[in-house]
Amino acid sequence: MTARCLWLFDLDDTLHDAGAFVFGALHESMGAYVQRELRVPPEEADRLRRLYWLRYGATLLGLVKHHGVKPAHFLHETHLLPDLEQRINGHRHDLAVLRRLPGRKIILTNAPRAYAMRVLQALGIARWFDGVVTIEDMAMFGHLRPKPDARMLRALAARLRVPPSRCILVEDTLQHQKAARSIGMHTVWMQRFGRRGSPVRARRQRWTMQPAYVDRTIGRLAQLLPAGKHWPTSLGNPLK
């Protein structure tokens, strides 16, 4: 067993404010892609995009399953985002925490590699991570299995030679944390960016709760230092 924990960091809305530009731009590019490739009007393209995201956790999975879309083509075309580097918003003082955080650190994102590397370079934090796992790395038995697929998470831990009990997923999406906890991983719910973008009622109802599968909620990365003192004793201390 490793002497330190393994941190698995989501990217969008966890390490930067994706809601400020990226998510809106991706909705537009994905809608345009569906219109063009499936030859459907804008309303139908938007319906399919939303339907597949809700049903499969990613629009891409529905397009592959029902329309034979090639994943590499979809990921490349929808993530071009020419103004990306100028529109990335992160908190540099808070991101500096990553350098001091003990243990190995891996980016775990459902985004494609080219996009993820552009974001990490724009934020100036690529050098603080020991690896980057993107959607291209989440294939099992010939099929993409992105978050929140628990089988993929278990296989990833095995590939990295770390038991799930030594892994900590820092993530803004609850469904992904639920899957991580189901295989024994620790979970941290990052609320900083998602909380700000939520409607008032949703903010009251959603952000004040802490599901049983969430170990900690944070609003900034600095709250992870020193993380070990704040983990529930029933789960043990992953930083020991």
Side-chain angles (χ1 to χ4, degrees):
M1 180 180 293
T2 178
R4 291 288 188 178
C5 66
L6 173 69
W7 297 91
L8 299 172
F9 280 92
D10 179 47
L11 184 59
D12 293 336
D13 259 6
T14 296
L15 297 182
H16 75 104
D17 187 2
F21 166 70
V22 170
F23 287 157
L26 285 177
H27 288 169
E28 291 184 9
S29 63
M30 288 182 185
Y33 182 92
V34 175
Q35 288 182 57
R36 182 175 68 252
E37 297 299 317
L38 303 189
R39 299 180 181 180
V40 297
E43 297 79 8
E44 177 64 5
D46 188 61
R47 185 188 73 83
L48 290 173
R49 179 182 62 79
R50 294 174 181 272
L51 172 66
Y52 295 153
W53 183 80
L54 291 171
R55 181 178 297 177
Y56 301 110
T59 297
L60 172 59
L61 299 187
L63 293 175
V64 170
K65 181 178 179 67
H66 298 288
H67 307 280
V69 165
K70 300 298 183 184
H73 186 255
F74 171 87
L75 293 170
H76 175 266
E77 293 294 314
T78 58
H79 286 76
L80 291 173
L81 306 181
D83 298 327
L84 178 65
E85 285 77 3
Q86 290 72 43
R87 303 293 294 275
I88 290 295
N89 292 309
H91 295 266
R92 295 197 177 276
H93 292 296
D94 198 36
L95 289 170
V97 169
L98 295 169
R99 180 177 55 186
R100 298 154 47 204
L101 199 64
R104 295 164 61 197
K105 292 174 282 290
I106 302 288
I107 291 290
L108 180 63
T109 175
N110 282 356
R113 179 167 295 273
Y115 164 84
M117 296 310 300
R118 289 174 66 191
V119 172
L120 291 172
Q121 292 294 337
L123 292 173
I125 59 175
R127 64 188 182 277
W128 295 335
F129 287 93
D130 301 289
V132 179
V133 178
T134 62
I135 193 169
E136 294 97 332
D137 306 309
M138 300 180 189
M140 297 182 66
F141 310 110
H143 299 283
L144 287 177
R145 304 288 187 189
K147 295 181 293 184
D149 194 290
R151 293 165 296 180
M152 179 276 295
L153 293 172
R154 185 180 291 108
L156 174 64
R159 190 163 80 235
L160 295 172
R161 298 183 179 181
V162 180
S165 62
R166 304 295 294 180
C167 298
I168 306 172
L169 177 66
V170 184
E171 167 80 58
D172 68 294
T173 304
L174 286 175
Q175 295 94 322
H176 299 175
Q177 293 177 339
K178 187 175 183 179
R181 169 51 70 79
S182 74
I183 65 166
M185 290 184 176
H186 301 275
T187 56
V188 176
W189 186 12
M190 168 57 87
Q191 298 184 341
R192 182 176 208 157
F193 304 111
R195 179 190 289 268
R196 189 169 63 203
S198 297
V200 174
R201 179 175 296 179
R203 183 160 57 241
R204 283 201 303 266
Q205 295 177 345
R206 182 171 185 259
W207 299 104
T208 57
M209 69 176 186
Q210 182 168 321
Y213 51 83
V214 172
D215 293 324
R216 296 182 61 198
T217 60
I218 62 171
R220 54 194 179 91
L221 295 175
Q223 291 174 259
L224 297 175
L225 292 173
K229 294 181 180 179
H230 304 287
W231 290 95
T233 55
S234 61
L235 295 176
N237 185 340
L239 293 178
K240 283 183 178 178

